[in-house]
Amino acid sequence: MRDRGNPRIPSGHSRGLFISFEGVDGSGKTTQVNMLREYCEKKGLEVVVTQEPGGTRIGEVIRDLLLSTDSKDMHPLTEALLYAADRAQHVEEVIRPALLQGKVVISDRYIDSSLAYQGVARGLGLEGVRNLNEWATGGLYPDITFLIEIPYEEGLKRLPKEGKDRLELQSRTFHYKVQEAYLTLGKLFSKRIVVINGSQTPGIIHREVIQEVEQHL
Ligand code: TYD
């Protein structure tokens, strides 16, 4: 049995396939999500593509609050709770129903984002953020998580100069901590998290992604 992050808590779905993409800002997750969607649809699979924060009507409101540059005074605990609240709504409304219908769910970010950004980079601690999120999701972990790994500086360079959100505007130290946290998570949960070198071309990354996905279909 693969280690999904917490062996005590079952993932809670018996059908479908749950895939998440993770990485620092600007790592190219969204491109890979779209390429994988196309691949799965060509195979005749029913696919739900979604994202965090957001992905539901309630989640979009939470997303605006989290990412607005007006939320400068948001406390790290509030931030962690809001990401978890967004995730609870997302799991109940979108992810779990789709998995129960046997669909492939591809999420642009999920629980590991909270572990890396809030647990490590904000300094709240992995254990607390993990407990909070396991409560919020009923212990639902992805079957596979792709960590698209690039140096954070490269990611920041890829982002548009204008219109950065509150998280993207954090210090370089913060982004460095996120990068390092992801590497740690990749090692801790090596059975669930597949680390991919994100400095390769999108086509090569996609090939590595589908090689892994094929083993689960
Ligand atoms: P996202 O829209 O994925 O940004 P991008 O497309 O630039 O990667 O996510 C918005 C920001 O929210 C991103 O900086 C990461 C952050 N985030 C957290 O800090 N914790 C979380 O649990 C999630 C899901 C995202």
Side-chain angles (χ1 to χ4, degrees):
M1 176 86 180
R2 297 190 139 210
D3 178 4
R4 288 152 189 245
N6 185 343
R8 285 176 296 121
I9 298 179
S11 65
H13 68 90
S14 52
R15 300 201 286 151
L17 185 65
F18 182 17
I19 302 167
S20 64
F21 280 83
E22 295 283 353
V24 296
D25 294 278
S27 54
K29 293 178 277 75
T30 311
T31 306
Q32 290 305 320
V33 165
N34 291 329
M35 289 172 96
L36 181 59
R37 175 219 293 258
E38 210 174 296
Y39 176 83
C40 290
E41 283 176 350
K42 277 202 188 125
K43 285 180 78 88
L45 297 164
E46 277 196 275
V47 186
V48 172
V49 167
T50 187
Q51 63 156 6
E52 289 189 358
T56 64
R57 189 181 63 81
I58 298 286
E60 285 303 322
V61 178
I62 299 176
R63 179 184 173 92
D64 286 347
L65 188 54
L66 278 165
L67 299 185
S68 165
T69 48
D70 290 339
S71 300
K72 279 194 184 69
D73 50 345
M74 188 181 287
H75 191 278
L77 275 172
T78 312
E79 184 181 287
L81 287 161
L82 284 174
Y83 277 113
D86 166 64
R87 189 160 297 124
Q89 184 75 25
H90 193 208
V91 165
E92 292 305 320
E93 193 180 321
V94 178
I95 302 177
R96 212 187 296 276
L99 291 173
L100 288 170
Q101 289 167 19
K103 296 181 182 168
V104 176
V105 176
I106 308 173
S107 187
D108 194 336
R109 295 194 183 280
Y110 188 65
I111 204 162
D112 300 293
S113 286
S114 282
L115 297 177
Y117 284 77
Q118 283 68 52
V120 178
R122 286 283 191 236
L124 294 177
L126 273 185
E127 172 130 22
V129 174
R130 181 167 155 166
N131 288 340
L132 168 67
N133 278 279
E134 286 185 351
W135 181 64
T137 62
L140 179 70
Y141 275 92
D143 298 293
I144 322 168
T145 296
F146 292 105
L147 169 55
I148 311 294
E149 196 232 320
I150 59 162
Y152 77 92
E153 297 101 325
E154 205 183 306
L156 291 181
K157 266 190 247 154
R158 289 185 193 173
L159 296 176
K161 287 218 161 37
E162 300 298 316
K164 288 200 174 60
D165 65 41
R166 185 177 66 91
L167 272 288
E168 288 165 351
L169 288 169
Q170 297 296 310
S171 67
R172 293 193 160 252
T173 312
F174 179 86
H175 289 288
Y176 173 73
K177 284 184 187 167
V178 172
Q179 168 193 304
E180 294 302 296
Y182 270 130
L183 291 178
T184 305
L185 293 175
K187 287 186 189 125
L188 274 177
F189 307 130
S190 60
K191 298 215 177 82
R192 173 174 59 85
I193 301 183
V194 179
V195 184
I196 298 186
N197 174 1
S199 303
Q200 307 175 98
T201 64
I204 292 177
I205 297 172
H206 176 60
R207 231 179 298 151
E208 292 188 18
V209 166
I210 57 179
Q211 252 172 26
E212 181 67 28
V213 170
E214 278 297 335
Q215 293 177 32
H216 290 256
L217 288 175

